Amino acid sequence: MSEEARRSCRVCGCLSGTSADAIDVVLCEFPVGVSGRDSTAVLLAADSVPMPPVLRAALLAAGQGAATTRDICRLNFELGDYIADAILQVCEKFNVPVSSLNLIGSHGQTIWHEVDAHGKVTSTLQIGESSVIAEKTGVPVVSDFRVADVAAGGLGAPLVSVLDAHFLRPPASEPPSMTEDTTQGASKPHLWAQQNIGGISNVTFLSSDVSVPIISFDNAPGNALLDFAVEELQQDLVHHGGETELHYDPDGMFAAQGTVLQPVLEAALKLPYLHQAPPKATGKELFSRSMTKDLIEDCRKHTTPDRLALDVLSTLTEFTVASIVQSFRDFLPTDGGTLMRVTVNGGGSRNSEMMLRLERCLQEQFGSQVQLELGGSCASTSTQSMTSIGALINAQNKEAFLFAYLAFLHHCGTPGNIPEATGAAGPRILGKFTHPPPQ
């Protein structure tokens, strides 16, 4: 092993998100001994490999409870095989030898996250067989990251809070806003929010005052209901210029043409989960295709057939935005300071209609000092040089980078959960290790 290899650990992080539309892959390199929020890493590559439509449909069906045990058994191996192919493809595209990887951190696909009537997660299942990935790539794999936290009484989510806590907390020296009154002595601490809008939305509230506990939880339906609605209303959307195989509302173009149906929105915002105090976690078990169908029927009572598809998507977009803002209003730490910045990652950050509405609503609720930032470029990326980890994370790569980082923490024997965010009994080393074939 070279001296350089002994000083660093080259890790691949990958996952298929809630929408199961692609395998997101990050290749990065951590210096051995990385710790603290000023840590650096090399980003070698970040890319997405589209999910085959048949495999995507099968995964989504399994996630809605429409799969047999035989189906899930088969999908576990099929997805593992495709994850391995995606890793090999990205390695080849960016000229990174797969043999140079020390670890793969693979989240796989969540099939079920069982939450009881009291909000306690009692079990969770992610698939994408790690032994298949290790066999095909020849690289050790760390996988199954959520179960240790759940076994310790936690929710197994949101795991991304470890990245937020370690690298994205506002600096203590954050200057006051131009509009802030500084005549009363020292300025208050400041709050940043890291808002992810994937299939499900989650947020982490971070204060510049390190004594203020981190709050992190799933706070809104994200894109799940919107994507289900697009599929349910596909024929109607064709009449408004949509393609025949749409799976999402591109850039919110249909929502922008619709009208928010207030009676439907107001009823949806009464959903008990939205008012439950954190820590809490949810998924497509709650924000399901069945819920989408019910909301479409509710919308049908308040609009005309020719406007139904547009008004449904406008209302569901507003539901995601209003749920997020409501969660900020209800659960921002009261001693954490003034909300100054909201950084949005995930697929929702590419929906300009949703972002316009979110910025408007946040500023109406919390003041014009709130800056809405998108979490960086969505293109294939590579830095090839040591850079602060906070600067490497962007809207496209954040979750894949998370699982690279969690695999690295596992390798170092370091806990990867934030107990105050997940509700676990204490810090836990996350993931299970799978050996590759002997050399």
Side-chain angles (χ1 to χ4, degrees), residues 15-22 24 48 195-202 221-224 226-227 247-253 317 320 324 343-356 358 374-378 394-400:
L15 80 157
S16 56
T18 312
S19 300
D21 55 353
D24 293 334
S48 291
Q195 176 68 57
N196 180 68
I197 305 178
I200 304 298
S201 295
N202 59 69
N223 300 312
L226 282 164
D227 292 351
H247 297 292
Y248 63 98
D249 182 4
D251 208 28
M253 63 177 285
T317 298
T320 290
I324 290 170
T343 303
V344 183
N345 292 288
S349 68
R350 302 193 291 275
N351 183 327
S352 60
E353 175 66 15
M354 185 181 287
M355 293 303 96
L356 285 169
L358 181 58
L374 305 187
S377 167
C378 297
N394 65 39
Q396 180 70 5
N397 70 31
K398 185 176 183 181
E399 288 193 291

Side-chain angles (χ1 to χ4, degrees), residues 56 60 226-234 246-247 289:
R56 177 179 186 268
L60 292 178
L226 282 164
D227 292 351
F228 284 139
V230 167
E231 293 177 0
E232 292 293 324
L233 299 167
Q234 197 145 103
L246 271 180
H247 297 292
R289 188 178 294 273

Side-chain angles (χ1 to χ4, degrees), residues 114-357:
E114 182 70 17
V115 185
D116 69 16
H118 305 289
K120 177 180 172 60
V121 173
T122 56
S123 60
T124 186
L125 177 64
Q126 289 73 44
I127 65 169
E129 181 52 53
S130 59
S131 292
V132 175
I133 301 170
E135 182 70 29
K136 201 162 186 177
T137 62
V139 179
V141 178
V142 182
S143 62
D144 218 7
F145 291 96
R146 298 187 186 275
V147 293
D149 187 84
V150 172
L155 300 170
L159 296 183
V160 73
S161 55
V162 70
L163 271 187
D164 299 332
H166 288 187
F167 307 116
L168 299 172
R169 184 188 286 274
S173 58
E174 176 74 9
S177 158
M178 294 288 289
T179 61
E180 186 176 352
D181 181 7
T182 59
T183 62
Q184 302 302 315
S187 62
K188 292 174 62 179
H190 291 76
L191 279 165
W192 287 359
Q194 290 289 329
Q195 176 68 57
N196 180 68
I197 305 178
I200 304 298
S201 295
N202 59 69
V203 70
T204 304
F205 297 134
L206 301 148
S207 175
S208 57
D209 180 351
V210 295
S211 69
V212 175
I214 291 163
I215 297 176
S216 187
F217 58 98
D218 292 340
N219 66 336
N223 300 312
L225 300 181
L226 282 164
D227 292 351
F228 284 139
V230 167
E231 293 177 0
E232 292 293 324
L233 299 167
Q234 197 145 103
Q235 293 306 310
D236 292 349
L237 291 172
V238 169
H239 297 306
H240 295 284
E243 299 174 6
T244 55
E245 292 297 325
L246 271 180
H247 297 292
Y248 63 98
D249 182 4
D251 208 28
M253 63 177 285
F254 296 115
Q257 300 173 58
T259 300
V260 176
L261 303 174
Q262 287 297 332
V264 179
L265 175 63
E266 290 169 10
L269 288 170
K270 294 176 181 176
L271 185 71
Y273 175 83
L274 300 177
H275 301 275
Q276 176 187 327
K280 59 180 178 176
T282 189
K284 286 188 174 179
E285 302 79 25
L286 175 62
F287 295 113
S288 62
R289 188 178 294 273
S290 175
M291 176 185 283
T292 307
K293 290 179 177 179
D294 289 343
L295 287 167
I296 291 172
E297 291 308 307
D298 289 345
C299 288
R300 200 183 299 276
K301 301 169 187 173
H302 299 278
T303 188
T304 57
D306 61 315
R307 298 285 303 172
L308 177 65
L310 300 179
D311 291 351
V312 165
L313 294 179
S314 185
T315 302
L316 293 182
T317 298
E318 195 71 15
F319 181 31
T320 290
V321 168
S323 299
I324 290 170
V325 175
Q326 180 173 278
S327 76
F328 280 47
R329 186 193 69 212
D330 293 347
F331 303 122
L332 270 174
T334 55
D335 56 349
T338 305
L339 179 65
M340 299 297 293
R341 181 185 299 179
V342 178
T343 303
V344 183
N345 292 288
S349 68
R350 302 193 291 275
N351 183 327
S352 60
E353 175 66 15
M354 185 181 287
M355 293 303 96
L356 285 169
R357 296 187 189 191

